[in-house]
Amino acid sequence: MAAVDEVVHRGRYAPSPTGRLHLGNARTALLAWLYTRQQGGRFVLRIEDNDFTRSRPEFEQRVYRDLRWMGLDWDEGPDVGGPYGPYRQSERVELYARESARLDTFACVCTRRELRASARRSPGGEVIYPGTCRQRPVEPGRPAALRWRAPPGVVQVDDLVHGPAAAVDDIARDVGDFILRRRDGVWAYQLAVVVDDAAMRITDVVRGDDLRFCTPRQVHLLRALGHPAPRYAHVPLIFGPDGQKLSKRHGAPDLSALREGGATPERTIAVLARSLGLLPDAVPAIPARALLARLPPVFRAPLVDRPLALAALR
Ligand SMILES: [Zn+2]
């Protein structure tokens, strides 16, 4: 008899419903889905609407429609349920409170100006918290952020795309005591994402390269909470000719615009796959599912990152 808790590959795609999915989101979703399906794993769709000040139900509905249009499917998610739900972060706040209560935290009432005055910056230019409120008594009722008294240590993260030591932080020197809950009550991405990945038994995280820099602090949090860290693959973002993330400004349509404008998912999938070197230029259109049979395992060989052939979408 198979063990009940047999570890299977569990991948996920976790968009924030704060805008329309653009082609960069679509390419990341496609890679995450391909990788999970190739491994015979379970694919989880999680809606990261933890920031209730920016999330909108309308965008969540577009996520479902756009991903299904691409030919992607998922085994667990807000719309299909599953054993590790709820799959919307807005419905998981009690879990965030419970998990953060297991950590050594303190209330922080520093103003933005106070923080900006801090001389210490991370290699990425972020303010490193100077520790002002570590010993400062905070009167009850005063709005305060919640910070983690992060223990010192060096955290190194390997990556399926970038190789060993893809991200390294000396937590005390490069990160400091970071925020778990904002002053307005929004749980920080850093906490919500690790609590959810652990609770949903995610084994493999495929996401955009812009999140690579915060992976060491997430692994630090996971360890403090006693959870195993998943494998990570940080995949290239799509940039416009000006070096900024590809957007409408570059004349790039978002997924909803393509879908509603009569583009075909097969051409869209082919353009995305060709830009990663996964498909020869001679293939103008292919359903997502047909890619599965055709491709060698993704991340086994280095990813290619070529400009999108936007003209082929029209
Ligand atoms: Zn403070």
Side-chain angles (χ1 to χ4, degrees):
M1 211 176 86
V4 177
D5 257 351
E6 201 176 347
V7 177
V8 294
H9 181 112
R10 290 177 59 82
R12 46 70 152 190
Y13 182 59
S16 296
T18 55
R20 293 172 166 222
L21 293 185
H22 55 73
L23 286 162
N25 303 126
R27 198 169 76 165
T28 300
L30 176 65
L31 276 171
W33 178 85
L34 278 173
Y35 177 53
T36 303
R37 291 294 182 229
Q38 283 182 331
Q39 307 295 320
R42 306 262 301 168
F43 196 53
V44 176
L45 178 64
R46 181 171 72 227
I47 297 294
E48 297 206 328
D49 60 350
N50 64 314
D51 188 345
F52 52 76
T53 64
R54 294 173 60 222
S55 299
R56 301 242 304 272
E58 172 216 329
F59 293 129
E60 180 182 327
Q61 293 307 315
R62 282 189 185 274
V63 166
Y64 304 138
R65 285 200 295 269
D66 290 347
L67 295 180
R68 287 215 167 86
W69 176 78
M70 286 176 67
L72 309 189
D73 61 347
W74 46 97
D75 307 295
E76 299 169 30
D79 57 335
V80 295
Y84 300 106
Y87 293 91
R88 244 182 232 109
Q89 289 191 326
S90 58
E91 296 166 16
R92 301 176 63 80
V93 290
E94 279 167 34
L95 186 61
Y96 306 146
R98 211 157 59 226
E99 288 285 275
S100 71
R102 297 169 50 213
L103 297 165
D104 183 6
T105 57
F106 61 94
C108 169
V109 291
C110 291
T111 61
R112 237 174 238 168
R113 184 194 300 207
E114 272 179 286
L115 291 177
R116 267 201 304 266
S118 163
R120 291 173 64 224
R121 295 281 188 284
S122 73
E126 295 170 286
V127 170
I128 296 172
Y129 186 64
T132 322
C133 298
R134 273 185 162 219
Q135 318 295 344
R136 175 150 85 176
V138 174
E139 60 267 38
R142 180 154 173 210
L146 189 70
R147 284 184 187 273
W148 180 34
R149 206 184 302 271
V154 174
V155 182
Q156 174 178 319
V157 182
D158 298 349
D159 188 293
L160 292 170
V161 176
H162 299 273
V168 185
D169 270 335
D170 178 327
I171 297 295
R173 192 193 65 199
D174 304 328
V175 181
D177 299 334
F178 58 92
I179 286 192
L180 302 183
R181 195 188 60 223
R182 292 187 339 210
R183 185 197 294 252
D184 63 2
V186 171
W187 289 97
Y189 169 74
Q190 312 295 352
L191 179 81
V193 76
V194 307
V195 167
D196 288 346
D197 282 340
M200 295 177 184
R201 310 285 196 273
I202 299 300
T203 60
D204 290 77
V205 171
V206 177
R207 60 186 183 186
D209 209 16
D210 50 342
L211 293 168
R212 179 154 52 115
F213 79 97
C214 59
T215 310
R217 74 190 71 172
Q218 291 178 10
V219 169
H220 203 49
L221 257 179
L222 281 167
R223 286 179 185 157
L225 290 166
H227 301 305
R231 271 182 296 269
Y232 292 96
H234 289 93
V235 302
L237 307 175
I238 301 181
F239 296 102
D242 57 354
Q244 299 295 311
K245 264 206 271 184
L246 188 75
S247 71
K248 233 185 284 177
R249 281 186 302 111
H250 303 101
D254 60 67
L255 269 193
S256 287
L258 283 171
R259 176 168 57 76
E260 289 158 4
T264 72
E266 293 80 8
R267 289 187 90 83
T268 309
I269 293 290
V271 164
L272 294 172
R274 291 206 305 264
S275 74
L276 292 162
L278 299 176
L279 202 62
D281 284 345
V283 181
I286 189 166
R289 195 149 286 278
L291 271 181
L292 281 179
R294 184 173 176 131
L295 294 188
V298 291
F299 306 134
R300 193 65 64 78
L303 279 183
V304 173
D305 183 15
R306 296 164 35 186
L308 278 189
L310 284 174
L313 288 171
R314 300 199 176 89

